[in-house]
């Protein structure tokens, strides 16, 4: 089932399953996934709220990070044969505490066009689930091209079936230059019934990237085995690459378990669990932090071609 509703003055699309899961998205606020509920319980951290997200690009719930996820080490660089300069005060720009460009340029952008013609859904819709698609024409916005000069179209398909929410993102290069692919998503997961210190975090075997004082990869890394951690008083802000399709991360409390599965195209991850709030994030990223500058793990979409990435959240 899918219905149109309102969230803080924005038109919202709410998908519901017979198994009690609901997911709500705001196309007019950057395709923000604003809510994921199991019955009446909210599983996404609302943090500073929607108004702050729209004003300051301070992430919440389940946002898209585009055209880069996490940080860039500098404002000017060359990538895919193009000179890039991100001007201070550029459209959509947010900076971290060190002044580095953070989480892309599309936070809260209203120009997403929702598909209402029945083309969305795929297997989920065929199986009786709910789905919709939305597109954003990046190349139609000169103010965005000024900081990322790569025309392209984004399409996000959202599908909910049973206890699984799946997001599939297609990037199509619409200009005459290749498009570097470095976007991601930032789901803030929470277990409302249990204190943070009693959450159990499951991490797969991964390559752990060493970060400098600015949280930028240094180039050094070490392989880590799969592990299970009682969160306790531990904080995470850790970067990984070499993530294979099918890789799973999870957080549980013995009653409920939320699993994030890297389905396709997301080859890097950030695990974030601050001490200051009860959330844990398993962030699917198409490339490691700073890949637009370093080139590490960065893939290109040639003109007229497309790139597809997908991840899912399953609540058990």
């Amino acid at each position: 089932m899918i219905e149109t509703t309102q969230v803080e003055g924005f038109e919202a699309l709410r998908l519901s399953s017979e198994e009690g899961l609901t997911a709500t998205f705001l196309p007019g606020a950057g395709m923000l996934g604003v809510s994921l509920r199991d019955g009446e319980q909210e599983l996404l951290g609302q943090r500073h709220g929607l108004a702050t997200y729209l004003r300051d690009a301070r992430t919440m719930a389940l946002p898209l990070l585009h055209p880069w996820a996490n940080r860039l080490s500098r404002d000017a660089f060359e990538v895919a044969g193009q000179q890039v300069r991100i001007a201070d005060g550029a459209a959509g720009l947010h900076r971290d505490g060190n002044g580095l460009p953070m989480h892309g340029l599309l936070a809260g952008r209203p120009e997403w066009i929702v598909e209402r013609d029945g083309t969305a859904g795929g297997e989920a819709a065929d199986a009786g689930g709910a789905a919709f698609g939305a597109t954003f024409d990046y190349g139609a916005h000169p103010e965005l091209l000024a900081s990322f000069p790569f025309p392209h179209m984004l399409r996000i398909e959202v599908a909910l079936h049973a206890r699984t929410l799946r997001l599939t993102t297609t990037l199509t290069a619409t200009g005459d230059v290749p498009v570097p692919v470095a976007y991601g998503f930032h789901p803030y997961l929470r277990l409302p019934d249990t204190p943070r210190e009693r959450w159990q975090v499951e991490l797969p075997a991964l390559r752990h990237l060493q970060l400098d004082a600015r949280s930028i990869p240094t180039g050094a890394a070490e392989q880590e085995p799969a592990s299970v951690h009682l969160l306790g008083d531990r904080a995470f802000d850790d970067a990984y690459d070499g993530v294979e399709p099918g890789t799973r991360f999870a957080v549980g409390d013995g009653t409920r378990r939320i699993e994030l599965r890297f389905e396709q195209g997301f080859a890097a991850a950030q695990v974030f669990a601050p001490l200051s709030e009860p959330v844990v994030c398993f962030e699917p990223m198409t490339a490691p932090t700073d890949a637009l500058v370093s080139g590490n793990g960065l893939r290109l979409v040639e003109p007229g071609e497309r790139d597809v990435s997908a991840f899912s959240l399953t609540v058990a």
Side-chain angles (χ1 to χ4, degrees), residues 79-84 145 148-153 171-180 300-305:
V79 59
Q82 302 292 312
Q83 294 295 325
V84 175
L145 291 170
F148 188 75
F150 304 96
H152 61 279
M153 183 78 73
L171 186 154
T172 303
T174 55
D176 57 4
V177 295
V179 180
L300 303 177
V301 183
E302 297 298 326
E305 299 297 319

Side-chain angles (χ1 to χ4, degrees), residues 9 15 21 42 51 56 80 97-98 100-101 108 134 139 155 159-160 175 179 255 260 297:
L15 296 79
L21 210 61
E42 179 60 64
D56 301 331
N98 292 311
L100 300 182
R155 179 180 185 274
L160 178 66
V179 180
T255 300
L260 192 147

